[in-house]
Amino acid sequence: MHFPKYFTSGCEPNVCAMQQIRGTSKKYFTNCKQWYHRKICGKPTHQLCLFMCAIAALPLVNIYSTLGVVGASTTQMYSDRAQLRDEIEGPGSFTFFAPSNKAWESLPTEILDALVSNVNIELLNALHYHMVNRRLTSEELKHGSTFSSMYQDAPVHIHHYSNGIVTVNCARLVKPDQHATNGIVHVVDRVITAISNNMQSIIDIDEDLETLRTAFAAAGLTTMLESEGHYTVFAPTNDAFEKIPRETLNRILGDPIALKDLLNYHILKNMHCAESIVSGTPMETLQGTMLEVGCDGDHMTLNGKAIITKTDQLATNGVIHYIGELLIPDSAKTLLELAESSSVSTATRMFVEAGLTPHLTGSEALTMLAPLNDAFKGSMTMTPSMRKLMSNHILKEQLSSKALYHGQELETLGGLKLRVFVYRKNLCIENACIAAHDKVGRYATMFTVDKVLTPPMGNIMDVLKADDRFITLVNAIQTAGMTELLNQQKVFTFFAPTDDAFNAMPQDERNRLMRDPQQLSGVLKYHLGESMLVSGGVSSHTRFQTLEGEKLELGLRNYTVYVNKIPVAEADLMATNGIIHAVNSIIRPLREREEEKQRFSREGQRSCVNSSAAWP
């Protein structure tokens, strides 16, 4: 039986798609809606199409003869030897899940020898287990269905996945729907065997799973593994448990809640045979979070790691895949373990050096604010002030970022009160904005933040006076009579001009401004607003209302905040009554800047004309 193959970028409704992994003979048949984007398990594929509607027009032969032309000639040979030929050449309507020639070649020698040494019983029984006494097309092989085989009515288990893959007892249909006069042949990629044990029974009899067996019993999960279902268990071997630090393992084994979370993290709600995976897919565990189950070439992967050592140990209520590493969910981890498994290694080291390990490994309800590695600048020497700063990155209660609200105050281990600011696209605690999803541990939570906290050390006037870049500004505030305003316990954002900003002004203009309190007040109020805007709250086209009455145009480019197109030299100088952003230019209304540009342009053109006229 031959189907014409066509290289094409799309399929007609009456054809099914086929992809072949380059450099191999491995093919995947499916319908056109479920093509795998030119890659299977990360490997490039050739894409082909088969005209399936042509089957009915081809001359059909019986199942025995069909086996010889669909890549199952070894199954045909064994059918002869087991005296099955008459049955599958004769009348009837059968479905034959026929192992491919390669499937027989990959069968362990001892199993194959046992079959062929007793062809009239063992081999015949094995072949009958591959048969169903009715015609079943691949469309009729519904997900989760079972059918009675022709070997003592022992059930065969069907899974028809959303990606188009169809399996019988986890063997993939590599060439489905090969019609015959007395039934249909589906070529499969392995020899299947009858299933009699549930998952708990498999775990009970395997010495490599002794530690897992003890853990399941301690967590009270044995009954579930004995009950009906369609689970997937990623079973850590004894060696996997041995790789975990003894202190960590003993803590989890001695904590019923953490232990149950850990074990449920190894169990998927649905059954997934290895052959059903063609790309990385998040799958929900019984613990409630997701595992990314994928593949890389011939290897099945978990969270991107090829740690699966044995696949498809089929049970009556699911499938077991053996793994060589223990998967520890965040919900079973201490704060220190959460940090160690995240991209905050610098913060982790600083917390430990600050002597905060007892808080990070204990059972206190806390929330850690862990800055990303690149948030740390300059010297990381542990000093008393740095130790205090790190203690102010740990909050005294376990929080969820989703429950935080604008204006909320959070108390730290260091005794400070930190403020929460909620913006349209960001959630910030003081100057540090949350940069990743919460990591919720056994007792505590970790927020990853984009900056090291700079808690306020005084009000706006205190901060300006303590910084020698703002000597001229402090004098200007006093001249304009605004000192009392900036000492008030309101909330301000101040785009504060540095001495460089004032020095960049023409001297006559600066002198006039500094002698005119009313004009000076207007200029300063154009830099000041009654709201709290940290740099993390700025997005493109943010508008900011000033005390002068006009609005400033803010934007963000290459991690730099711009205000009326002037870059902020240093952002987020925190104060108890607001925030300061240093600017090295006096901020002018955009229309004035444009008029000034045009004036300079006209003067430049006149200068060029005059120079030209003077040229001899």
Side-chain angles (χ1 to χ4, degrees):
M1 193 176 297
H2 174 71
F3 302 119
K5 297 179 181 177
Y6 297 86
F7 285 94
T8 178
S9 58
C11 292
E12 299 299 324
N14 63 337
V15 300
C16 90
M18 183 186 79
Q19 286 175 284
Q20 180 174 334
I21 300 178
R22 291 180 184 175
T24 75
S25 59
K26 198 168 187 178
K27 299 182 180 71
Y28 286 77
F29 291 76
T30 183
N31 62 53
C32 293
K33 293 180 181 179
Q34 295 158 329
W35 286 30
Y36 306 127
H37 310 293
R38 299 187 183 275
K39 280 192 174 182
I40 293 175
C41 292
K43 303 301 179 184
T45 63
H46 299 293
Q47 294 186 338
L48 311 163
C49 280
L50 301 181
F51 279 91
M52 299 304 290
C53 61
I55 292 174
L58 294 173
L60 296 182
V61 292
N62 59 50
I63 286 178
Y64 178 82
S65 298
T66 300
L67 292 174
V69 293
V70 295
S73 57
T74 305
T75 300
Q76 184 187 51
M77 176 190 71
Y78 286 136
S79 298
D80 252 335
R81 294 176 64 176
Q83 298 183 5
L84 184 64
R85 177 172 179 171
D86 289 347
E87 188 173 354
I88 59 177
E89 278 187 331
S93 186
F94 308 111
T95 297
F96 202 147
F97 297 104
S100 67
N101 295 339
K102 284 193 173 181
W104 288 105
E105 291 172 9
S106 62
L107 198 64
T109 304
E110 63 274 15
I111 295 178
L112 184 59
D113 287 346
L115 292 175
V116 298
S117 65
N118 192 348
V119 294
N120 293 327
I121 298 178
E122 297 297 337
L123 184 58
L124 180 62
N125 289 344
L127 292 173
H128 268 149
Y129 184 64
H130 289 74
M131 295 176 63
V132 175
N133 196 16
R134 56 181 282 202
R135 181 191 298 260
L136 294 166
T137 65
S138 61
E139 190 174 336
E140 295 172 287
L141 300 176
K142 302 300 183 183
H143 190 69
S145 60
T146 59
F147 297 96
S148 295
S149 74
M150 293 176 65
Y151 167 63
Q152 299 180 357
D153 289 333
V156 292
H157 301 262
I158 304 297
H159 287 86
H160 197 144
Y161 297 94
S162 59
N163 60 11
I165 299 292
V166 184
T167 64
V168 52
N169 287 22
C170 282
R172 181 169 62 88
L173 275 62
V174 294
K175 195 176 289 186
D177 297 319
Q178 307 301 303
H179 290 260
T181 55
N182 58 346
I184 192 167
V185 175
H186 303 293
V187 182
V188 295
D189 67 351
R190 70 186 75 167
V191 178
I192 63 175
T193 56
I195 305 161
S196 57
N197 290 329
N198 59 43
M199 288 194 287
Q200 183 60 43
S201 297
I202 293 174
I203 293 169
D204 280 342
I205 61 177
D206 194 328
E207 291 182 359
D208 281 343
L209 302 179
E210 183 179 355
T211 308
L212 179 64
R213 178 166 65 248
T214 303
F216 273 133
L221 294 175
T222 301
T223 302
M224 184 197 73
L225 296 173
E226 293 172 339
S227 61
E228 291 186 5
H230 293 87
Y231 300 111
T232 301
V233 173
F234 295 103
T237 61
N238 297 337
D239 288 343
F241 281 95
E242 288 294 326
K243 293 177 183 177
I244 301 300
R246 179 54 55 182
E247 183 180 353
T248 300
L249 187 59
N250 288 342
R251 176 182 62 78
I252 294 174
L253 292 176
D255 180 345
I257 294 175
L259 178 59
K260 192 168 185 177
D261 269 2
L262 178 137
L263 294 173
N264 279 334
Y265 189 56
H266 290 75
I267 305 174
L268 301 181
K269 289 185 173 182
N270 299 301
M271 180 171 160
H272 290 278
C273 301
E275 283 292 334
S276 72
I277 308 299
V278 295
S279 62
T281 307
M283 297 184 183
E284 189 174 2
T285 67
L286 293 187
Q287 182 259 348
T289 54
M290 310 298 279
L291 269 181
E292 184 175 282
V293 184
C295 52
D296 183 9
D298 293 332
H299 300 288
M300 194 174 176
T301 61
L302 285 181
N303 292 341
K305 299 172 71 177
I307 61 174
I308 297 176
T309 57
K310 186 163 63 172
T311 62
D312 294 341
Q313 303 304 297
L314 204 59
T316 55
N317 56 348
V319 65
I320 299 175
H321 306 297
Y322 289 44
I323 58 175
E325 289 186 19
L326 192 65
L327 307 171
I328 303 180
D330 288 346
S331 61
K333 293 178 179 177
T334 63
L335 258 184
L336 183 59
E337 289 163 352
L338 287 177
E340 287 173 340
S341 61
S342 306
S343 54
V344 292
S345 57
T346 303
T348 305
R349 176 173 59 82
M350 298 299 288
F351 282 123
V352 171
E353 290 181 5
L356 295 168
T357 301
H359 295 290
L360 306 185
T361 57
S363 57
E364 296 173 87
L366 302 171
T367 300
M368 172 197 286
L369 307 180
L372 293 165
N373 289 338
D374 59 7
F376 289 90
K377 313 293 183 186
S379 172
M380 293 295 106
T381 304
M382 187 53 60
T383 60
S385 61
M386 178 62 77
R387 188 172 289 109
K388 182 76 170 176
L389 177 62
M390 296 312 296
S391 71
N392 283 324
H393 281 74
I394 300 180
L395 308 175
K396 282 188 172 181
E397 56 184 316
Q398 185 177 17
L399 299 165
S400 164
S401 63
K402 292 179 180 179
L404 299 181
Y405 56 89
H406 193 75
Q408 185 177 4
E409 289 191 338
L410 310 173
E411 189 176 356
T412 72
L413 287 182
L416 282 185
K417 293 286 184 71
L418 303 180
R419 298 160 294 182
V420 176
F421 308 114
V422 180
Y423 302 103
R424 181 176 297 177
K425 294 184 177 180
N426 240 338
L427 174 62
C428 306
I429 299 171
E430 293 296 335
N431 60 302
C433 299
I434 293 176
H437 293 297
D438 301 2
K439 283 186 166 290
V440 182
R442 175 64 180 92
Y443 300 103
T445 297
M446 186 182 89
F447 295 166
T448 303
V449 294
D450 62 352
K451 295 182 181 70
V452 177
L453 285 172
T454 54
M457 303 307 293
N459 65 25
I460 285 178
M461 287 306 297
D462 294 329
V463 175
L464 293 175
K465 289 176 181 178
D467 193 324
D468 59 11
R469 293 175 295 176
F470 299 114
I471 295 171
T472 306
L473 176 60
V474 169
N475 291 332
I477 291 169
Q478 293 167 345
T479 300
M482 293 174 60
T483 303
E484 184 178 347
L485 173 68
L486 293 177
N487 277 324
Q488 291 178 6
Q489 285 306 305
K490 292 185 177 181
V491 176
F492 299 103
T493 296
F494 199 173
F495 294 95
T498 62
D499 291 351
D500 289 342
F502 285 102
N503 292 335
M505 296 175 67
Q507 186 173 349
D508 289 347
E509 182 182 347
R510 183 175 70 247
N511 291 339
R512 284 196 304 272
L513 177 64
M514 298 300 286
R515 289 194 297 265
D516 186 338
Q518 186 173 354
Q519 184 186 2
L520 188 57
S521 175
V523 169
L524 294 180
K525 286 182 178 179
Y526 188 66
H527 292 68
L528 184 67
E530 272 193 7
S531 63
M532 187 82 174
L533 184 62
V534 302
S535 61
V538 177
S539 57
S540 56
H541 310 299
T542 299
R543 306 194 78 192
F544 181 75
Q545 181 71 49
T546 68
L547 292 184
E548 185 268 344
E550 294 284 332
K551 289 184 177 179
L552 300 175
E553 297 286 342
L554 275 65
L556 191 66
R557 190 166 68 249
N558 295 329
Y559 304 103
T560 298
V561 175
Y562 286 78
V563 50
N564 282 13
K565 300 185 177 180
I566 291 173
V568 169
E570 184 179 354
D572 301 332
L573 303 173
M574 307 304 292
T576 55
N577 62 341
I579 187 170
I580 297 166
H581 304 295
V583 291
N584 287 333
S585 298
I586 300 296
I587 301 171
R588 302 177 186 276
L590 287 173
R591 62 178 181 276
E592 284 188 19
R593 287 171 57 84
E594 291 303 319
E595 289 171 1
E596 191 172 281
K597 278 185 182 179
Q598 292 173 8
R599 178 167 58 81
F600 284 143
S601 177
R602 287 194 299 270
E603 289 176 356
Q605 289 171 359
R606 282 197 298 271
S607 174
C608 288
V609 169
N610 292 338
S611 297
S612 245
W615 190 260

